[in-house]
């Protein structure tokens, strides 16, 4: 039996998960969990990547204490944020968090120099104000000139572990700098940023074996013998690999966590004007696929509401309170950038309601209900757009990640979309991470077999649409109120 460890770091927490195949099923054990989050300092938002690396070391020491003497290891994190290194491999700056508002005007500045349609045709990536393209456009020019290598966060953590610098493709594609035709960084966009291709590391694919952890780390810490494998380092890419979809069904995935990523796995990108106008993205996936998806504000909304309430208000409590409220009393377009990082999420939601002539939610239950109702509408609208763009009639929505435990949101998604919802597994990101490791080591032959194994190993819950006659009215009211 081989041991595999997934390092899965999201915007609000991280963990190390031990995976192995036991009696024909995947067995998972959480070895270490830690909080994550950006800090605000001097008017900007930063990640503490030294803390993240220290937590990986702490988790691996726990693995050794559990009796794991050898394993493979892969890291996934969120996308778009980057690290600048000098020639000696030292960081040139603190790592900006994507919610920092320094990019608020960057998209307009960039698209004045190169039309948005041209950028989309080149990259296939949706326009989000925090994309790496726009972050680099506003970064200090002198500091960029000093950068010998530009790595994304998981690339940097792998570099700290192994000494190898690379840009893994599933995460690198989110920069909005990769060219779909050349399969490399786009020379025109680099020129626009006054950057050179040599400042980025070589691109590598998920499943690449990087080798052992550096000897000095082994000497400093009591670690297992680890063979590091580059997985799909974008957490959404790993989550999609962990979706237990059947090859024969017409389905979409919804990775539900801090963000909601809803889309289809495709063999080729779609860069039509319809795809661009609906702001769909074509992120590169593992094994020659593309993730044709829309990035929607997710459980960040309720996380920020919860932050303003006493500690006894758990996420489960918010769901319970929301279930007691009447449905669809408030309509808010949570796709608006105003909800990216407001100082007070409750006040921002209330302000949005009043601006559209509605009463404002006041209680914890009303606020939670408002969030869950409108997320379900946004999911349903995204599915309708995907069906129109791809010509595929969707039958099933697979919800994975933490949001798959939210029974109200799952049922609402079924009700508003009119589709069957299959919820679970919660651990899809860790499972996708582990699947790549297992395939790289020959424990599994391919991703189809991995997904069959996941279906066999983890129970899912099915939600069927109810109140079918109301969905058109809910969507019409949302459109009328929020788009007026």
């Amino acid at each position: 039996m081989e041991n595999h460890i997934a390092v899965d770091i999201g915007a609000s927490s991280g963990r190390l998960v031990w995976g192995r195949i036991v009696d024909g099923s995947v067995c998972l054990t959480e070895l270490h969990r830690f909080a994550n989050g950006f800090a605000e300092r001097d008017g900007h938002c930063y990640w503490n990547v030294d803390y993240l690396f220290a937590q990986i070391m702490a988790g691996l020491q726990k693995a050794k204490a559990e009796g794991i003497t050898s394993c493979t290891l892969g890291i996934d994190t969120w996308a778009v944020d980057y690290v600048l290194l000098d020639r000696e491999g030292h960081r040139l700056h603190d790592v900006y968090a994507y919610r920092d508002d320094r990019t608020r005007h960057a998209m307009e500045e960039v698209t004045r120099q190169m039309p948005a349609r041209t950028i989309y045709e080149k990259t296939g990536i949706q326009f989000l104000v925090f994309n790496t393209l726009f972050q680099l456009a506003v970064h200090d020019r002198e500091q960029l000139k000093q950068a010998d290598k530009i790595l994304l966060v998981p690339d940097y953590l792998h570099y700290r572990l192994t000494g190898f610098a690379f840009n893994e493709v599933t995460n690198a594609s989110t920069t909005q700098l990769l060219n779909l035709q050349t399969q490399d960084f786009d020379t025109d966009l680099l020129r626009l940023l006054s950057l050179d291709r040599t400042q980025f590391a070589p691109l590598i694919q998920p499943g690449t074996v990087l080798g052992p952890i550096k000897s000095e780390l082994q000497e400093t810490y009591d670690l297992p013998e680890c063979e590091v494998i580059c997985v799909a380092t974008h957490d959404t890419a790993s989550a999609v690999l962990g979706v237990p979809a059947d090859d024969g069904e017409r389905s979409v995935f919804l990775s539900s966590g801090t963000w909601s990523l809803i889309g289809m796995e495709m063999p080729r990108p779609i860069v039509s004007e319809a795809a661009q106008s609906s702001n769909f993205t074509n992120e590169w996936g593992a094994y020659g696929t593309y993730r044709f998806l829309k990035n929607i504000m997710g459980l960040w909304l309720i996380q920020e509401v919860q932050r303003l309430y006493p500690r006894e208000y758990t996420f489960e409590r918010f769901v319970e309170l929301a279930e007691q409220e009447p449905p669809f009393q408030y309509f808010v377009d949570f796709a608006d950038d105003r909800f990216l990082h407001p100082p007070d999420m409750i006040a921002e939601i209330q302000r949005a309601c009043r601006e559209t002539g509605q009463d404002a939610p006041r209680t914890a239950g009303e606020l939670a209900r408002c969030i869950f109702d409108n997320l379900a509408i946004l999911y349903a609208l995204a599915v309708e757009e995907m069906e129109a763009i791809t010509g595929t009639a969707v039958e099933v929505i697979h919800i994975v990640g933490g949001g798959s435990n939210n029974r109200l949101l799952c049922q609402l998604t079924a009700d508003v979309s009119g589709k069957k919802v299959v919820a679970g597994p919660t651990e899809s990101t860790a499972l996708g991470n582990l699947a790549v490791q297992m395939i790289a080591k020959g424990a599994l032959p391919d991703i189809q077999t991995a997904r069959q194994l996941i279906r066999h190993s983890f129970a899912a819950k099915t939600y069927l649409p109810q109140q079918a006659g109301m969905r058109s009215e809910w969507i019409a009211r949302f459109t009328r109120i929020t788009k007026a």
Side-chain angles (χ1 to χ4, degrees):
M1 177 182 68
E2 291 194 11
N3 298 308
H4 311 277
I5 295 178
V7 179
D8 172 30
I9 306 176
S12 58
S13 68
R15 65 263 179 81
L16 277 75
V17 179
W18 172 23
R20 61 265 193 221
I21 299 175
V22 180
D23 297 329
S25 295
V26 179
C27 180
L28 299 181
T29 302
E30 186 176 283
L31 297 168
H32 182 52
R33 177 176 285 271
F34 52 94
N36 189 29
F38 58 82
E40 297 188 41
R41 187 175 69 255
D42 301 326
H44 289 289
C45 302
Y46 300 102
W47 300 108
N48 186 343
V49 291
D50 290 329
Y51 161 80
L52 297 179
F53 186 77
Q55 293 302 315
I56 294 173
M57 293 295 99
L60 288 176
Q61 290 176 94
K62 287 184 178 180
K64 183 70 174 291
E66 288 284 338
I68 302 172
T69 57
S70 65
C71 62
T72 63
L73 176 76
I75 302 173
D76 68 76
T77 80
W78 67 96
V80 304
D81 291 335
Y82 58 92
V83 183
L84 305 182
L85 301 181
D86 65 16
R87 291 185 182 277
E88 285 71 47
H90 301 134
R91 287 201 314 274
L92 290 169
H93 70 110
D94 290 330
V95 180
Y96 286 107
Y98 59 83
R99 293 190 193 273
D100 189 280
D101 70 351
R102 69 198 174 109
T103 60
R104 61 187 178 277
H105 302 303
M107 192 182 300
E108 293 88 341
E109 294 172 8
V110 169
T111 53
R112 275 199 297 269
Q113 298 175 69
M114 183 181 293
R117 180 64 188 153
T118 301
I119 296 173
Y120 191 77
E121 286 178 329
K122 284 174 172 288
T123 68
I125 299 299
Q126 72 181 126
F127 285 81
L128 297 169
V129 69
F130 49 73
N131 286 351
T132 319
L133 167 63
F134 306 123
Q135 292 199 50
L136 290 171
V138 298
H139 199 106
D140 179 79
R141 280 281 167 261
E142 289 304 311
Q143 199 170 69
L144 282 180
K145 287 180 183 178
Q146 298 170 34
D148 182 64
K149 284 293 175 285
I150 302 173
L151 305 180
L152 296 186
V153 169
D155 303 332
Y156 173 70
L157 294 173
H158 278 113
Y159 172 73
R160 290 277 299 268
L161 281 176
T162 68
F164 292 113
F166 59 83
N167 293 120
E168 186 275 322
V169 297
T170 70
N171 221 338
S173 69
T174 70
T175 63
Q176 207 169 18
L177 290 170
L178 295 192
N179 186 296
L180 291 168
Q181 300 302 316
T182 67
Q183 297 284 289
D184 201 353
F185 287 89
D186 183 81
T187 54
D188 296 329
L189 288 168
L190 292 183
R191 190 179 303 114
L192 185 152
L193 297 173
S194 301
L195 293 173
D196 188 83
R197 174 64 182 89
T198 60
Q199 291 179 279
F200 291 88
L203 291 170
I204 68 170
Q205 295 288 334
T208 302
V209 177
L210 303 175
I213 288 178
K214 290 191 294 187
S215 58
E216 55 262 40
L217 293 174
Q218 294 281 6
E219 294 166 4
T220 304
Y221 302 94
D222 186 20
L223 307 178
E225 291 184 10
C226 287
E227 183 176 38
V228 182
I229 295 174
C230 181
V231 297
T233 64
H234 184 194
D235 52 9
T236 304
S238 279
V240 171
L241 292 172
V243 173
D246 190 303
D247 281 349
E249 70 183 13
R250 292 176 292 182
S251 65
V252 300
F253 59 80
L254 171 52
S255 179
S256 179
T258 301
W259 286 91
S260 295
L261 298 310
I262 186 165
M264 297 177 176
E265 196 172 43
M266 304 290 285
R268 60 189 61 85
I270 302 174
V271 292
S272 63
E273 291 186 4
Q276 181 186 349
S277 65
S278 295
N279 214 23
F280 276 86
T281 202
N282 295 272
E283 297 173 352
W284 299 17
Y287 309 118
T289 61
Y290 292 86
R291 299 187 306 281
F292 183 68
L293 64 83
K294 176 168 283 194
N295 200 330
I296 296 172
M297 211 75 71
L299 299 181
W300 158 259
L301 299 160
I302 197 67
Q303 290 167 359
E304 283 295 280
V305 169
Q306 183 199 35
R307 186 172 61 83
L308 300 172
Y309 271 84
R311 294 182 65 179
E312 60 265 24
Y313 280 81
T314 63
F315 290 123
E316 175 63 24
R317 179 63 176 151
F318 276 106
V319 172
E320 292 171 351
L321 292 170
E323 288 174 326
Q324 298 170 24
E325 297 294 331
F328 299 101
Q329 299 300 298
Y330 313 98
F331 294 90
V332 178
D333 184 3
F334 285 120
D336 195 304
D337 284 345
R338 69 190 294 172
F339 300 107
L340 189 61
H341 185 212
D344 185 321
M345 184 64 76
I346 294 173
E348 197 65 35
I349 292 171
Q350 292 171 335
R351 190 177 301 114
C353 286
R354 294 190 183 104
E355 288 172 2
T356 50
Q358 304 176 81
D359 290 335
R362 293 177 175 81
T363 68
E366 290 171 346
L367 286 160
R369 187 79 204 205
C370 172
I371 290 170
F372 300 148
D373 284 350
N374 287 280
L375 284 180
I377 290 174
L378 289 172
Y379 301 159
L381 290 172
V383 171
E384 288 183 359
E385 289 171 329
M386 274 186 284
E387 289 180 318
I389 293 168
T390 66
T392 300
V394 172
E395 299 171 335
V396 182
I397 301 174
H398 282 275
I399 301 182
V400 296
S404 66
N405 295 320
N406 186 329
R407 59 186 177 274
L408 176 58
L409 184 55
C410 290
Q411 186 61 60
L412 285 168
T413 302
D415 293 346
V416 185
S417 69
K419 313 295 184 184
K420 179 172 78 171
V421 166
V422 178
T426 304
E427 304 291 347
S428 61
T429 305
L431 287 164
N433 180 318
L434 293 166
V436 173
Q437 297 181 50
M438 292 176 181
I439 293 168
K441 293 301 293 181
L444 294 172
D446 51 40
I447 192 59
Q448 291 75 25
T449 306
R451 285 171 169 158
Q452 291 171 5
L453 183 62
I454 292 168
R455 284 199 300 274
H456 170 74
S457 303
F458 299 92
K461 186 170 182 180
T462 298
Y463 297 83
L464 298 177
Q466 301 172 5
Q467 305 183 67
M470 294 297 295
R471 62 180 304 270
S472 296
E473 180 181 331
W474 293 330
I475 291 174
R477 290 174 63 194
F478 172 87
T479 303
R480 183 174 68 253
I481 291 171
T482 64
K483 307 302 181 185

